[in-house]
Amino acid sequence: MAANPYQLRKLEEAVKDYRIFIDTCSLLDEGSDKFFMNIVPILYRHNKHIVIALRVAQELIKYSQHPELGRAQGKPQLHKRATEVLKRLSELQKNGLVQIFGDDSDNFADNVFQTVFTQKRLEYNLMLITQDRDLSQDILNLSQSRAVRTSKKIKVMRLSKNGLMHPFDPTWQPDADNSGNHNDSNQERQQLDEDEVFALTKTLNPISGELKVTQLPQEGSVLIAERGQARQEITLKQAISSGGEGTIYHTDRPKVVAKIYKADKLKRATYEKLRLMLTKNLNCPGICLPQALLYNQRHEFVGYLMEQAEGKTLQTSIFRPKQVFLKNYPTWTKVETVTLCLTILQKFKYLHDSNVILGDINPGNILMKSPTEVYLVDTDSYQVEGFPCPVGTINFTAPEIQRQNFPDFLRTIGNERFAVATLLFMIMLPGKPPYAMQGGEDQIANIIKGDFAYPSGERSNGKAPEGSWRYCWSHMPRSLKKDFYESFHKDGTNHAENQRFSTDDWIDKFQNYLRLLTDGTLQTQDEMSLDIYPSRLKKNPNATYIKCKLCGNDVDQEYSRDGICNDCLFKKGEPYHCEKCGAELLYTNFQRLISKKPRRKLCDECYQKSHAVYCTVKCAGCGQEFSMTNGDKEYYDAKGFNFPPKYCPVCRQQRKQQKHGTSSTTTTTSDLTGGGLGNWFSHLFFGK
């Protein structure tokens, strides 16, 4: 089970407010993998680290190097687990997210924690994560000492199997539920507060009509911000941007902006929806929800306040051509894009847990400042209770609601899950919609038919886009490719509205992907696994690879010739131009280096046109009909010969032999292709 926004907020508070230490037993616990997945983005965001005692690291090394120690304790997998943990800690230390402290004089890790917490409790808020009940009690006893007066706090937490932190409970026993996770089920299913959840309904709200306004505000206007009984004056500052619905302004409140509607966009339904949204205490950083309604001095509704978003939209940042993406984000790897997916999913999860459906999920409504700092805007369009989302975007609209009028119905969570899967796909293949394919440009038709082109195992329609997109798809884990296939293909097990993956499902899948990226598993299989845009397909472990002589990439020897990969042979070469129309042609490396064929002088279109029959003539000698092509006519005209000729090629050849007194030979029309000029036409096309 993935951490919910409430739990992530608690974790973020811990990172900001405490020096966090972690014990050997918690590092070895199965929950530590998911714990690090949750905490690493937060550590990056706040430039913080976790503290590991040198003695703890030495204990892990001991278990890693001596398998017999684990067997003696009845834990034969202990050495393998210790090795995995050490590898993770090494990567985190390189990135400044883990700090090792202590020296070789330390006797036991427990003593180290007691010494450090005693010395530092006057300077810092301290937190220890441990599964050790006795150590937990000893550390907590330090905070209860009356001899020391301090405002600093000491906390002791333990990890659950799902990687969540829980306060130490003196009554907890490690084997209370036979798994070492006493009472986890209740704590991990902790729901949002009642005032954060909207009611579920299937009935469309009938409110309609427009609101009248006699005076729209502008820069410098003083407005009244209301939420419940609270009222406050705010002043509009300079405008930030304008759109179809209205204008966004800075205000005299830091990091708070105002959306002021255009006169013709002041709808009664919008007003009532915003009022309803303000009855709930929704609070998730980065989701720019309404904070208060705005009225002019005549108490006419004109807009609302919200958190100021930062960064660029996905559409103008990562959904850009390859060259632009790599120029703007030269240090990014798949770690960043997967982290971005997880950041967005956590915000979606918070809204879905609150019974809010975003409706119009699209790259223009999501702003990114960094992979761990994301903002959702246009929240006034969200669907809450009976108020529908009145807008939508084709690529993100589920097949069952394509071509419908969005204001006329309420979306289901199943409709929404299609949009979530689409967004994730387009982040992993930056900007590429899942239903774009070779020879199929009608996105709506492809979505409705469930015609998904990317392969999963042997399943494929053969129409996946070539080049970079195929390579991006190839390098995803097999399990994730299968999940996307099952989601988008008409025969997929998760394609139907009520079978689609939830945000929790996707969080688990992308956390696993992040683990494979950060623990070296995927890099061991293929060094390009971290690349945003790989330059080839993922390596097959059963294939032999060579370096292409031309591009230098590692390529499957089976798909190469004379040390050159198929891409270089058939898709690259020397460009030149058709001698007739000037169209650009490619003299491929295969033609140049392997088959050694001369360059064609004409493009296909000019060749077909020149080879087409211009007229049919009856031979004056034998009486047989013969054809003359457009190319024949051009040749005759260029030479100043009469056209069309009187005699067929056979008769002309015989007359020529008789004229020069040569012996007669048998010649057939099949020996003289191309009408009357056979070999000439071959010369024109092939340069012979």
Side-chain angles (χ1 to χ4, degrees):
M1 180 181 296
N4 64 35
Y6 171 83
Q7 292 156 340
L8 289 176
R9 288 204 302 271
K10 292 297 182 184
L11 187 59
E12 185 146 14
E13 290 171 4
V15 169
K16 290 192 295 184
D17 298 339
Y18 287 82
R19 292 279 179 101
I20 300 176
F21 298 72
I22 188 166
D23 192 15
T24 312
C25 52
S26 289
L27 286 169
L28 291 171
D29 190 84
E30 62 178 314
S32 69
D33 291 337
K34 289 191 175 180
F35 168 73
F36 278 110
M37 288 181 191
N38 289 330
I39 200 170
V40 162
I42 300 174
L43 294 172
Y44 269 123
R45 187 155 60 242
H46 295 285
N47 195 26
K48 294 293 186 72
H49 58 261
I50 291 178
V51 184
I52 307 291
L54 176 62
R55 181 58 63 185
V56 168
Q58 291 172 337
E59 286 180 355
L60 293 171
I61 294 171
K62 179 179 65 175
Y63 287 129
S64 174
Q65 295 178 346
H66 300 283
E68 68 276 7
L69 295 177
R71 291 195 294 269
Q73 299 178 36
K75 301 175 180 178
Q77 298 298 316
L78 184 58
H79 78 100
K80 179 181 178 182
R81 178 62 181 159
T83 303
E84 293 171 349
V85 172
L86 282 170
K87 187 175 182 180
R88 179 184 291 276
L89 293 181
S90 176
E91 290 296 323
L92 294 175
Q93 186 182 22
K94 289 178 184 177
N95 292 309
L97 304 180
V98 160
Q99 182 184 80
I100 308 294
F101 84 100
D103 55 53
D104 290 330
S105 64
D106 298 332
N107 294 322
F108 300 99
D110 291 6
N111 296 343
V112 173
F113 292 126
Q114 291 185 38
T115 300
V116 171
F117 275 55
T118 299
Q119 294 174 346
K120 300 297 183 182
R121 60 181 167 163
L122 298 179
E123 300 178 50
Y124 307 105
N125 293 324
L126 303 173
M127 176 181 290
L128 173 64
I129 301 173
T130 181
Q131 312 299 96
D132 188 320
R133 185 171 180 272
D134 293 334
L135 175 59
S136 299
Q137 190 62 67
D138 290 342
I139 296 298
L140 283 178
N141 288 340
L142 294 175
S143 65
Q144 296 169 2
S145 173
R146 296 184 180 181
V148 178
R149 294 184 178 181
T150 177
S151 60
K152 302 300 181 183
K153 299 177 183 178
I154 292 177
K155 279 190 176 182
V156 179
M157 312 293 283
R158 65 181 182 84
L159 295 182
S160 73
K161 63 182 178 181
N162 291 311
L164 305 176
M165 293 194 313
H166 301 301
F168 167 70
D169 178 358
T171 66
W172 170 66
Q173 297 293 333
D175 59 352
D177 63 354
N178 297 320
S179 66
N181 296 289
H182 174 74
N183 203 31
D184 282 346
S185 58
N186 290 334
Q187 295 188 58
E188 290 174 4
R189 285 202 301 266
Q190 183 171 7
Q191 300 295 314
L192 299 175
D193 295 336
E194 288 185 7
D195 64 352
E196 292 182 89
V197 181
F198 290 92
L200 292 172
T201 181
K202 295 182 179 179
T203 305
L204 193 68
N205 197 304
I207 296 175
S208 61
E210 298 182 356
L211 296 175
K212 292 184 179 181
V213 61
T214 57
Q215 183 180 9
L216 281 176
Q218 53 190 350
E219 291 182 17
S221 296
V222 177
L223 303 178
I224 306 300
E226 288 189 6
R227 181 165 189 163
Q229 301 300 314
R231 301 184 68 189
Q232 186 177 6
E233 286 191 346
I234 67 105
T235 302
L236 297 185
K237 299 296 186 179
Q238 67 271 27
I240 301 173
S241 62
S242 294
E245 285 197 326
T247 303
I248 307 297
Y249 291 90
H250 286 292
T251 72
D252 57 354
R253 295 171 58 180
K255 294 190 175 182
V256 174
V257 297
K259 178 174 181 177
I260 304 300
Y261 290 103
K262 294 179 179 178
D264 61 342
K265 299 298 181 181
L266 286 166
K267 309 293 184 182
R268 184 171 298 278
T270 302
Y271 174 65
E272 294 298 337
K273 181 200 289 190
L274 292 171
R275 288 185 62 194
L276 173 63
M277 294 177 77
L278 289 171
T279 64
K280 302 298 180 181
N281 188 29
L282 299 183
N283 180 23
C284 183
I287 304 180
C288 301
L289 293 158
Q291 296 180 354
L293 298 180
L294 292 176
Y295 299 87
N296 62 19
Q297 294 299 320
R298 299 181 180 182
H299 206 262
E300 296 167 331
F301 170 69
V302 292
Y304 66 93
L305 290 180
M306 60 182 170
E307 176 186 3
Q308 181 176 352
E310 298 183 48
K312 296 180 178 180
T313 68
L314 296 186
Q315 189 65 56
T316 58
S317 57
I318 69 169
F319 287 15
R320 302 294 304 278
K322 174 182 176 179
Q323 293 77 8
V324 178
F325 184 109
L326 295 177
K327 180 181 179 181
N328 291 340
Y329 304 102
T331 63
W332 271 39
T333 67
K334 286 282 178 61
V335 172
E336 279 69 33
T337 53
V338 172
T339 300
L340 174 62
C341 288
L342 286 167
T343 302
I344 293 171
L345 282 168
Q346 292 292 356
K347 299 187 189 308
F348 286 175
K349 173 179 168 55
Y350 178 81
L351 293 168
H352 292 168
D353 287 348
S354 300
N355 292 333
V356 175
I357 289 179
L358 289 78
D360 187 25
I361 291 176
N362 75 71
N365 289 341
I366 302 172
L367 278 69
M368 181 201 70
K369 187 175 181 181
S370 74
T372 57
E373 188 171 354
V374 170
Y375 296 85
L376 307 184
V377 298
D378 285 352
T379 60
D380 53 338
S381 70
Y382 289 175
Q383 176 178 301
V384 292
E385 297 189 5
F387 293 96
C389 173
V391 288
T393 307
I394 288 176
N395 286 332
F396 297 85
T397 300
E400 63 272 10
I401 58 172
Q402 283 283 351
R403 297 174 175 154
Q404 292 192 32
N405 191 29
F406 297 119
D408 294 343
F409 68 97
L410 295 175
R411 286 173 168 92
T412 67
I413 190 64
N415 303 152
E416 180 99 321
R417 287 171 177 170
F418 176 88
V420 173
T422 299
L423 182 70
L424 297 173
F425 182 94
M426 292 180 67
I427 293 175
M428 299 317 300
L429 279 71
K432 194 68 171 176
Y435 290 97
M437 66 183 74
Q438 297 183 72
E441 296 303 321
D442 187 346
Q443 294 289 306
I444 295 179
N446 292 343
I447 292 171
I448 292 174
K449 291 186 296 184
D451 194 8
F452 181 65
Y454 293 84
S456 175
E458 299 300 319
R459 300 180 296 179
S460 172
N461 68 3
K463 295 189 287 186
E466 294 290 342
S468 293
W469 308 118
R470 286 288 296 275
Y471 302 153
C472 290
W473 175 261
S474 172
H475 280 265
M476 277 195 284
R478 182 186 297 254
S479 60
L480 193 59
K481 288 187 284 190
K482 180 178 182 294
D483 292 332
F484 279 130
Y485 186 92
E486 303 295 356
S487 298
F488 293 125
H489 194 274
K490 62 181 179 181
D491 297 325
T493 55
N494 302 95
H495 182 66
E497 179 181 348
N498 61 349
Q499 297 294 327
R500 293 175 185 141
F501 293 121
S502 68
T503 48
D504 280 315
D505 293 330
W506 285 116
I507 288 171
D508 286 340
K509 296 175 190 302
F510 274 79
Q511 283 181 336
N512 182 59
Y513 190 7
L514 184 61
R515 177 184 64 79
L516 294 173
L517 289 167
T518 56
D519 69 7
T521 299
L522 295 180
Q523 284 177 282
T524 301
Q525 296 174 5
D526 193 315
E527 62 274 14
M528 277 192 183
S529 62
L530 288 175
D531 292 0
I532 302 291
Y533 288 98
S535 59
R536 55 164 170 76
L537 296 173
K538 182 167 64 178
K539 286 183 177 179
N540 180 347
N542 300 317
T544 300
Y545 285 82
I546 62 169
K547 275 201 178 298
C548 173
K549 294 178 182 178
L550 297 185
C551 67
N553 286 332
D554 291 335
V555 295
D556 187 341
Q557 189 173 26
E558 184 178 344
Y559 299 102
S560 66
R561 185 162 174 177
D562 291 354
I564 304 174
C565 69
N566 282 352
D567 274 358
C568 285
L569 284 176
F570 297 104
K571 297 179 182 179
K572 298 178 183 178
E574 298 175 357
Y576 66 103
H577 298 279
C578 171
E579 291 185 355
K580 194 168 185 65
C581 70
E584 185 172 284
L585 302 174
L586 182 67
Y587 186 39
T588 67
N589 290 322
F590 180 81
Q591 295 168 325
R592 183 172 65 90
L593 301 173
I594 306 299
S595 67
K596 301 187 183 301
K597 287 184 177 180
R599 293 182 179 183
R600 297 165 48 190
K601 294 190 174 184
L602 300 180
C603 65
D604 288 342
E605 185 176 350
C606 289
Y607 173 83
Q608 295 295 338
K609 186 176 179 180
S610 294
H611 207 54
V613 174
Y614 178 84
C615 65
T616 301
V617 183
K618 189 172 183 179
C619 177
C622 65
Q624 296 292 321
E625 288 189 345
F626 63 97
S627 298
M628 298 298 290
T629 67
N630 290 322
D632 293 335
K633 184 177 188 310
E634 290 178 10
Y635 178 78
Y636 271 72
D637 290 346
K639 293 291 186 179
F641 298 157
N642 292 327
F643 185 87
K646 295 181 179 180
Y647 299 97
C648 69
V650 174
C651 290
R652 287 202 302 276
Q653 182 71 8
Q654 290 175 347
R655 287 169 61 83
K656 182 178 179 181
Q657 291 170 349
Q658 292 171 0
K659 180 178 180 180
H660 295 285
T662 59
S663 59
S664 177
T665 58
T666 303
T667 306
T668 65
T669 54
S670 63
D671 295 324
L672 298 167
T673 58
L677 301 175
N679 289 331
W680 170 84
F681 195 82
S682 179
H683 170 78
L684 174 67
F685 188 69
F686 294 110
K688 294 181 180 178

